[in-house]
Amino acid sequence: MLQTHTADPYTPSRPIVLIGLMGVGKTTIGRRLAQRLNLPFVDADVEIESAAGMTIAEIFERFGEAHFRDGERRVIARLVDGTPKVIATGGGAFLNVETRALILDQAITIWLDAPPHILAERVAKRDHRPLLRGKDPLKVLTELAAVRNPVYALAPIHVVSKSAPHDATVSAILKALTA
């Protein structure tokens, strides 16, 4: 049965930015969170593709990761404009020092986390992620978690994305926001 929700009573005064590894559900959870809060939802990766006129995979292939990260930084700086909304970022966005400082200063930052084995199951369903092309997802995600999780841990809110319905994670975020 499809659950419907009226907007939750919490209203943020600034953007909510979701960070975390690929496959953790930033986009899916972000859309549902925005719906529950009656806020706009923006996927930074979609905005990057729109600005570049090509897919992220094409940007990586033609110009490399450094070029992509520079564009990502500029797009996120435009999105974090003080207006309440929910923003899903790419997994590497928060690693950029400038982007991280902006997000931590100007937004409510939430680290969505899940163990690498759960993430590997989730990302195995589609082959559109440049960092996983032709590689073992579990190995790559384990390595990324080792490097990135200490940086993600700088976010003031940490929510674990479990193997449960998405609404459970959204509810956990709402609980953390109102705590």
Side-chain angles (χ1 to χ4, degrees):
M1 181 172 168
L2 181 66
Q3 288 184 310
T4 57
H5 299 277
T6 56
D8 279 83
Y10 175 78
T11 304
S13 58
R14 52 194 180 150
I16 296 171
V17 176
L18 303 178
I19 64 167
L21 286 172
M22 66 180 90
V24 78
K26 297 179 298 287
T27 298
T28 307
I29 299 299
R31 273 195 191 100
R32 291 171 188 240
L33 178 63
Q35 183 179 15
R36 291 266 298 264
L37 294 173
N38 199 27
L39 292 174
F41 171 75
V42 183
D43 185 319
D45 285 350
V46 170
E47 294 295 313
I48 292 163
E49 289 179 340
S50 177
M54 61 181 77
T55 67
I56 289 171
E58 289 169 334
I59 298 168
F60 264 76
E61 197 174 295
R62 289 180 64 184
F63 303 107
E65 185 175 359
H67 179 83
F68 168 76
R69 296 295 174 202
D70 184 54
E72 178 179 59
R73 177 188 53 75
R74 285 181 280 136
V75 166
I76 291 173
R78 177 174 48 83
L79 296 175
V80 179
D81 61 1
T83 307
K85 64 178 78 92
V86 177
I87 303 168
T89 62
F94 198 68
L95 301 179
N96 177 285
V97 174
E98 290 174 52
T99 301
R100 182 171 58 247
L102 174 74
I103 291 171
L104 289 172
D105 185 55
Q106 302 294 318
I108 299 164
T109 312
I110 300 171
W111 171 25
L112 284 181
D113 187 19
H117 71 276
I118 289 175
L119 298 175
E121 285 175 24
R122 292 178 184 173
V123 301
K125 296 170 187 159
R126 292 174 55 202
D127 181 31
H128 69 286
R129 300 173 192 273
L131 295 178
L132 296 179
R133 288 253 161 89
K135 299 176 182 161
D136 173 14
L138 179 58
K139 183 177 187 298
V140 171
L141 287 159
T142 300
E143 291 168 357
L144 287 173
V147 172
R148 294 180 177 185
N149 284 359
V151 180
Y152 294 151
L154 297 171
I157 299 173
H158 180 195
V159 174
V160 177
S161 173
K162 299 179 176 153
S163 290
H166 292 38
D167 281 334
T169 303
V170 172
S171 293
I173 292 170
L174 290 168
K175 184 176 179 183
L177 287 169
T178 58

